[in-house]
Amino acid sequence: MPQFPIDRYLLPETPIEVPDGFTEVRQSLTAGLPHRVELGAGVHAVLILPTGLARQWLTTDPLAVVSTSADDLTPRPAPPATPRASALVGRVPLRLVVRQGTRILGSVPLAAGLRRVCPDAGTPVDSAGPAPVAVEVVVLAWLLHAGTVRGSGDYGSTLTVAWRPADRAVDTFGPPPINEFVWRRRPPAQRVESELGPGRLRYRYLLDKKMRRVLR
């Protein structure tokens, strides 16, 4: 059976394992933020946290948890016993900016189990510079304390990611997309359609053939 199109958006299994062919990188965040992570092939990632709330971090307990991957691995996370350092801003926008030298290849938000290719197909290519190196990044785990946001020091903050050169084609294939005009001619009782946001992925399902088809 072909993979359901929104599987990659669902809650990942725990614990998250390193996919085959990926190199795991685990680092302690002792130098504060932003933090540079060397991936390989001339590519590195920079962990950043754009908040604009300097006073909040200066008055927060350095060991207070700002963000952790454990929240993503809990279907219904219970409210923490003690207030988080990020309580005023909700989920903090942690992200990895993937770069080749000074060229930005892409941005990967920290979400447990998220896989992203940088640069993606929609990223413009600078013809004057060297050809970009495509890499695939997987976010495995992280733990960020308020002291790390303020500056350098060993507060127990860590980051674990995995990467590989994105130089291979996919090894899984689904059925061909349904032609839009053919799908519309099917009786309404034999078709189901879902759309993930305006202009986004459409999922079309023919009930009579018991086959899922994707139409972009």
Side-chain angles (χ1 to χ4, degrees):
M1 179 180 294
Q3 184 183 24
F4 196 75
I6 67 170
D7 276 351
R8 61 185 180 275
Y9 300 111
L10 302 180
L11 196 69
E13 297 291 338
T14 55
I16 301 173
E17 298 182 353
V18 180
D20 293 340
F22 282 76
T23 300
E24 181 178 358
V25 179
R26 186 181 189 277
Q27 293 189 350
S28 297
L29 309 179
T30 57
L33 297 181
H35 179 83
R36 177 170 172 145
V37 181
E38 296 293 339
L39 299 179
V43 176
H44 66 275
V46 180
L47 178 65
I48 63 173
L49 175 58
T51 65
L53 301 173
R55 180 174 297 179
Q56 175 185 345
W57 306 119
L58 293 175
T59 59
T60 301
D61 180 359
L63 297 181
V65 176
V66 176
S67 179
T68 174
S69 55
D71 291 342
D72 284 0
L73 304 177
T74 305
R76 294 182 180 179
T82 57
R84 289 279 177 85
S86 57
L88 296 179
V89 295
R91 179 170 177 138
V92 294
L94 271 173
R95 59 187 59 250
L96 285 169
V97 178
V98 182
R99 305 196 305 180
Q100 178 185 358
T102 59
R103 169 186 289 175
I104 296 178
L105 300 179
S107 178
V108 183
L110 256 62
L114 177 66
R115 294 175 60 165
R116 179 159 296 181
V117 176
C118 299
D120 59 24
T123 302
V125 177
D126 182 7
S127 58
V133 177
V135 297
E136 185 174 8
V137 179
V138 182
V139 179
L140 298 176
W142 73 90
L143 175 61
L144 180 67
H145 291 96
T148 304
V149 180
R150 295 196 320 205
S152 60
D154 189 359
Y155 300 100
S157 300
T158 60
L159 172 68
T160 306
V161 298
W163 76 280
R164 71 173 179 181
D167 55 0
R168 294 184 298 175
V170 297
D171 55 3
T172 57
F173 303 91
I178 300 172
N179 183 281
E180 181 176 359
F181 299 101
V182 173
W183 187 86
R184 288 178 178 176
R185 294 179 64 180
R186 307 296 301 190
Q190 296 181 357
R191 64 192 189 194
V192 178
E193 179 179 27
S194 298
E195 184 174 327
L196 304 179
R200 301 288 297 279
L201 180 69
R202 291 181 179 178
Y203 180 75
R204 293 181 171 175
Y205 182 21
L206 290 182
L207 299 178
D208 58 337
K209 292 187 177 181
K210 302 297 183 182
M211 295 183 65
R212 295 180 175 90
R213 304 292 182 91
V214 178
L215 177 64
R216 293 184 182 276

